[in-house]
Amino acid sequence: ATNATGREWIEFDIDLSNHSCYAVYLAVLMSYENMGKVTVNVLDRQTGNESSLDIDSQWASPISVWSDVQVTKDDVSSCTGKCTVKVTTHPQTP
């Protein structure tokens, strides 16, 4: 994100073979300053099921690293292979 006030978003599709349940992960840069929260929404285009997760990308450790965050649960049919993922930013935390 390039806007400290948030409200930016990116959207992309997942197009895998049909399966009863895929777990969706998102790689997030975790850092100690000038980061913020994002909301990740996953829409299963076949079932209409939606799931959402808020992720805080700021932490106290004085290093920056990528972290894989599980967005959808393993045991719930949140993504059957044809999904749309939308990531929306919130204001940065100084």
Side-chain angles (χ1 to χ4, degrees):
T2 57
N3 183 349
T5 62
R7 296 187 302 269
E8 293 182 313
W9 57 271
I10 186 169
E11 187 174 89
F12 57 91
D13 290 334
I14 295 174
D15 190 16
L16 301 170
S17 60
N18 286 341
H19 192 280
S20 60
C21 182
Y22 285 98
V24 176
Y25 285 76
L26 185 69
V28 176
L29 178 63
M30 305 295 285
S31 192
Y32 55 96
E33 64 182 357
N34 298 323
M35 301 301 284
K37 294 181 180 179
V38 297
T39 298
V40 184
N41 293 297
V42 178
L43 170 65
D44 188 310
R45 296 189 311 271
Q46 292 184 342
T47 66
N49 291 342
E50 292 184 63
S51 56
S52 180
L53 179 69
D54 290 328
I55 300 170
D56 189 348
S57 62
Q58 184 160 331
W59 63 1
S61 183
I63 61 171
S64 299
V65 297
W66 290 105
S67 179
D68 291 332
V69 177
Q70 187 171 352
V71 177
T72 60
K73 298 183 182 207
D74 296 6
D75 57 350
V76 178
S77 184
S78 300
C79 181
T80 57
K82 310 294 186 222
C83 299
T84 300
V85 179
K86 184 175 183 179
V87 182
T88 306
T89 63
H90 298 276
Q92 286 181 359
T93 305

